[in-house]
Amino acid sequence: MLMSSGAGLAQTIGKTYTYEAIDRQIEGTVQVSYVLDRQGRIIPDSTRVLQGLGYGLDALAVQAVNYPASLAVTPANQALARRSEQPARFNAPVVFALKNLTPRDWSDYYVLKGDKALAEANPARAISYYDLALGRYKKNGQACAGLAKAYTNQGKSDQAAKYAELANKYSMAAR
């Protein structure tokens, strides 16, 4: 997977996936086309999706190719662009595979699912998602904060206080 540093049009998980794509278990390859100038740099706004997957992954693929340290721009492609009289167009596959997600990515995904369950006034379901999030990444302050809210909604103040304290601890450690 080519890495991207920006956010896509959809809610992103980590730097390499969208919430919607994970939810639908979408995997595959996005074919992207780009143009290099004579210095071997990608020309802004030249990147196009030739064959996409949808669910926000196409936007992430374009961002991945446009990223300055992109793996799509190989030394061979740069050499061809430098020898060319015209800007040169190249294609790059950007692979999306769920197995490439990190434990932190999965944890963030489950936090979003928990947040959605809380918004739907389903604290029991939210708790199960936040527990899954903590199972993937123990120091997820957002999951702890979500558990504190969900337990508060259920009237379980002791458990809510425990997770609120953990959320504060993890947010302080992240600074």
Side-chain angles (χ1 to χ4, degrees):
M1 168 66 201
L2 298 173
M3 297 299 289
S4 166
S5 66
L9 299 175
Q11 175 72 47
T12 59
I13 303 295
K15 297 178 182 177
T16 60
Y17 246 99
T18 63
Y19 172 84
E20 193 176 17
I22 295 172
D23 222 27
R24 289 177 173 76
Q25 302 288 298
I26 303 298
E27 295 183 295
T29 302
V30 175
Q31 292 293 333
V32 179
S33 173
Y34 61 94
V35 176
L36 294 180
D37 64 16
R38 294 210 53 214
Q39 286 75 39
R41 296 180 305 234
I42 293 178
I43 295 175
D45 300 324
S46 72
T47 309
R48 304 280 182 260
V49 174
L50 300 175
Q51 181 181 6
L53 295 171
Y55 304 102
L57 296 177
D58 299 348
L60 285 177
V62 167
Q63 288 176 350
V65 170
N66 285 337
Y67 185 66
S70 172
L71 298 175
V73 183
T74 64
N77 288 356
Q78 286 180 328
L80 284 171
R82 286 186 184 115
R83 287 194 303 263
S84 176
E85 294 296 319
Q86 303 280 338
R89 182 164 288 280
F90 299 94
N91 296 336
V94 181
V95 178
F96 291 92
L98 292 169
K99 69 180 181 180
N100 294 338
L101 291 172
T102 68
R104 181 60 192 249
D105 294 337
W106 281 108
S107 182
D108 290 345
Y109 168 72
Y110 288 124
V111 165
L112 288 172
K113 293 211 45 113
D115 291 348
K116 184 176 179 184
L118 260 186
E120 295 168 351
N122 191 341
R125 175 172 259 166
I127 288 169
S128 67
Y129 283 124
Y130 293 131
D131 281 339
L132 284 169
L134 289 177
R136 292 292 184 136
Y137 184 77
K138 299 282 184 218
K139 296 183 179 182
N140 191 328
Q142 290 177 312
C144 292
L147 280 167
K149 285 184 218 170
Y151 282 125
T152 298
N153 288 349
Q154 289 188 329
K156 298 179 180 177
S157 58
D158 290 346
Q159 289 171 308
K162 171 186 161 186
Y163 285 106
E165 184 179 324
L166 283 172
N168 287 335
K169 176 183 171 183
Y170 296 144
S171 68
M172 293 297 282
R175 290 182 190 168

